[in-house]
């Protein structure tokens, strides 16, 4: 079996990072890139997910860094991602997933604007 190219290794790492996102949790594109060992490569995550054809990949758990769904609001992709997130118990309001805060989110807790 030939060695994987750097692009194939990057894609495999990104897909593994997406698969590792627990049910009812979400992560930003940049966060997925960091978890895959590719900091600063959020756009690569977008490209890899756009070309995905694995129906078991939990792509719906990946959002913009501010929790917004990246698809246009009236699109089928937006509706499907919202549906899948809600089916897992994620609160989606106005196209934005509301993540439960965890101890790992200390900076967000201290510096984020208050939710209304």
């Amino acid at each position: 079996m030939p060695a994987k190219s750097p692009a194939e290794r990057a894609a495999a790492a990104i897909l593994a990072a997406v698969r590792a996102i627990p049910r009812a949790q979400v992560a930003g594109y940049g966060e997925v890139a960091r978890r895959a060992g590719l900091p600063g490569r959020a756009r690569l995550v977008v490209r890899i997910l756009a070309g995905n054809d694995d129906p078991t990949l939990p792509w719906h758990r990946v959002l913009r860094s501010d929790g917004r769904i990246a698809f246009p609001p009236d699109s089928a992709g937006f509706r499907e991602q919202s549906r899948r997130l809600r089916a897992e118990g994620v609160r989606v309001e106005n196209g934005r997933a509301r993540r439960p805060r965890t101890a790992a989110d200390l900076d967000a807790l201290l510096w984020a604007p208050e939710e209304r």
Side-chain angles (χ1 to χ4, degrees):
M1 179 177 203
K4 289 185 177 181
S5 72
E8 291 170 325
R9 286 194 303 272
I14 288 168
L15 294 174
V18 171
R19 285 186 184 94
I21 302 169
R23 181 178 172 78
Q25 300 280 322
V26 296
Y29 294 103
E31 187 176 346
V32 169
R34 280 190 301 281
R35 290 178 183 180
L38 300 161
R41 302 298 308 269
R43 289 183 183 186
L44 179 59
V45 174
V46 173
R47 282 198 302 269
I48 298 298
L49 291 179
N52 172 60
D53 61 356
D54 178 358
T56 66
L57 186 74
W59 60 269
H60 59 283
R61 297 176 187 155
V62 185
L63 305 164
R64 291 180 175 171
S65 62
D66 63 359
R68 287 183 300 137
I69 292 172
F71 290 106
D74 294 333
S75 70
F78 181 94
R79 289 188 296 277
E80 179 65 13
Q81 190 167 14
S82 296
R83 184 193 66 74
R84 288 179 182 218
L85 289 169
R86 287 183 177 123
E88 292 185 358
V90 175
R91 199 172 88 205
V92 179
E93 297 173 354
N94 299 319
R96 185 179 305 239
R98 300 297 182 184
R99 300 190 224 197
R101 294 236 161 108
T102 65
D105 292 332
L106 183 58
D107 281 343
L109 182 62
L110 292 172
W111 301 106
E114 290 184 32
E115 291 184 22
R116 295 176 189 233

